[in-house]
Amino acid sequence: MNEIDRKTIRKSIKKKGFILKESSNTDHEVYRLTHNGKLIPQIRVKISRGSNYKTYPQSLWCTMRALLGLDSNQEVAALLNCPLSKEEYFTILKSKNIL
Amino acid sequence: MPKLSPKRNEHYSDKTDISVVIYAQNLLNKGYAKPISNQYTSKTLTTCRNDISPMRIIHGESPRHFRNQLNRITYGDVTIRFQDGISLDVDISYEDGLYIAFNDRFGVYGSGITYESAYEDFKDSFVDFYEDVMNLPEESVGESTIKLRNSLRQFTSYFKK
């Protein structure tokens, strides 16, 4: 798993309950996690809009690990590529007292 | 890449990354740990008082990786200042044609095709992260956010021009 398409990331995180933050920033989009109607703003994904970021190299998406509340790169890849379900993701976050 | 020293950790600083301090404080609050030293407190009273350097650099194991320790973050009209003895660790790496600046525990990161642009992007991301955690209405955020907010409040000061 080296690169992940930006569109795939966007689609995957929306399914997990991340919602786009309204912002005037034109360089990137910020998605913040919601759970039971509450925002968890420290769990977030930033997606750059630049042409250099149509795909995310592993070195970049690996840095999202802590921001997503996950421990391993495999979990991050599963979340961003969609195999990890919303329920499974929330179970991980609950086990770490993030939710 | 900036020129790096061949000696590893030559500029090592004993400041403590704020995310580590908050993690330790959570363990203390839950009764999972007991303090064995007041290192950052004693440093506050001694060397940090005269330390005016805004940044320190730690060289990592790889020539493509090094670490900055920031006393404060300034981006736009916002400055976030960390209590004496506490820093924000920012790892800088260069891979796949991109510079990536990130704090591993908070997970905040910035990237760019130049070191400067990655660093600016990181500062933008950290200020955005900080303002969200600190300023969103209490009723709209989860319990974990309130805990993080209380911890950050203890160790940081926020200034806006």
Side-chain angles (χ1 to χ4, degrees):
Chain A
M1 175 53 57
N2 291 324
E3 293 190 337
I4 304 178
D5 189 273
R6 178 169 59 187
K7 288 178 188 169
T8 306
I9 295 176
R10 203 179 269 137
K11 195 174 160 186
S12 302
I13 60 173
K14 282 180 182 174
K15 284 185 180 172
K16 309 295 186 297
F18 286 83
I19 56 168
L20 180 64
K21 177 185 176 183
E22 286 183 24
S23 166
S24 57
N25 193 315
T26 54
D27 296 333
H28 51 252
E29 303 161 359
V30 173
Y31 290 82
R32 302 177 295 190
L33 185 65
T34 54
H35 177 250
N36 290 340
K38 302 264 189 185
L39 270 174
I40 316 290
Q42 69 272 32
I43 305 292
R44 55 176 51 212
V45 177
K46 185 179 76 175
I47 299 179
S48 296
R49 292 191 171 121
S51 55
N52 292 318
Y53 298 93
K54 285 180 180 167
T55 57
Y56 270 56
Q58 183 167 354
S59 55
L60 190 52
W61 59 255
C62 284
T63 60
M64 298 180 187
R65 196 177 59 235
L67 208 53
L68 292 167
L70 299 172
D71 289 325
S72 71
N73 293 340
Q74 287 82 0
E75 285 176 330
V76 178
L79 180 109
L80 299 180
N81 276 310
C82 232
L84 187 73
S85 73
K86 185 176 179 177
E87 291 69 30
E88 287 168 332
Y89 181 45
F90 283 179
T91 301
I92 292 171
L93 296 182
K94 279 176 188 166
S95 72
K96 301 170 81 176
N97 291 324
I98 294 172
L99 294 181
Chain B
M1 287 287 288
K3 191 178 177 183
L4 301 177
S5 162
K7 288 184 183 176
R8 186 182 166 202
N9 291 341
E10 186 180 21
H11 300 290
Y12 181 76
S13 159
D14 59 355
K15 290 184 179 183
T16 308
D17 180 46
I18 186 165
S19 57
V20 177
V21 173
I22 289 173
Y23 178 70
Q25 191 200 35
N26 287 340
L27 292 178
L28 289 171
N29 291 343
K30 289 175 182 172
Y32 295 154
K34 289 182 178 176
I36 56 169
S37 96
N38 292 319
Q39 190 178 0
Y40 67 78
T41 308
S42 61
K43 189 167 172 55
T44 300
L45 300 174
T46 54
T47 49
C48 271
R49 184 166 292 170
N50 300 317
D51 184 1
I52 57 169
S53 167
M55 182 190 296
R56 288 166 182 270
I57 297 174
I58 297 173
H59 299 283
E61 292 179 18
S62 158
R64 290 176 173 269
H65 179 222
F66 63 93
R67 173 175 292 175
N68 287 342
Q69 292 191 306
L70 307 181
N71 293 340
R72 60 181 174 268
I73 290 264
T74 300
Y75 185 78
D77 54 358
V78 171
T79 296
I80 299 163
R81 199 177 184 87
F82 304 100
Q83 194 183 89
D84 285 348
I86 296 175
S87 63
L88 180 71
D89 289 357
V90 186
D91 291 303
I92 315 282
S93 66
Y94 182 76
E95 288 177 65
D96 302 316
L98 279 176
Y99 287 86
I100 301 172
F102 63 101
N103 177 281
D104 196 36
R105 281 181 177 262
F106 284 138
V108 176
Y109 69 94
S111 62
I113 54 172
T114 64
Y115 167 79
E116 291 77 14
S117 60
Y119 210 68
E120 283 301 297
D121 193 34
F122 173 83
K123 290 195 286 184
D124 178 17
S125 297
F126 187 82
V127 169
D128 188 54
F129 165 86
Y130 185 93
E131 288 180 335
D132 266 2
V133 171
M134 300 303 275
N135 298 338
L136 283 168
E138 201 156 304
E139 62 276 11
S140 70
V141 297
E143 196 184 330
S144 60
T145 307
I146 304 292
K147 285 181 185 168
L148 177 58
R149 174 181 297 179
N150 292 336
S151 298
L152 282 172
R153 194 170 281 147
Q154 283 185 51
F155 302 114
T156 59
S157 309
Y158 176 91
F159 305 96
K160 191 166 186 173
K161 287 177 190 167

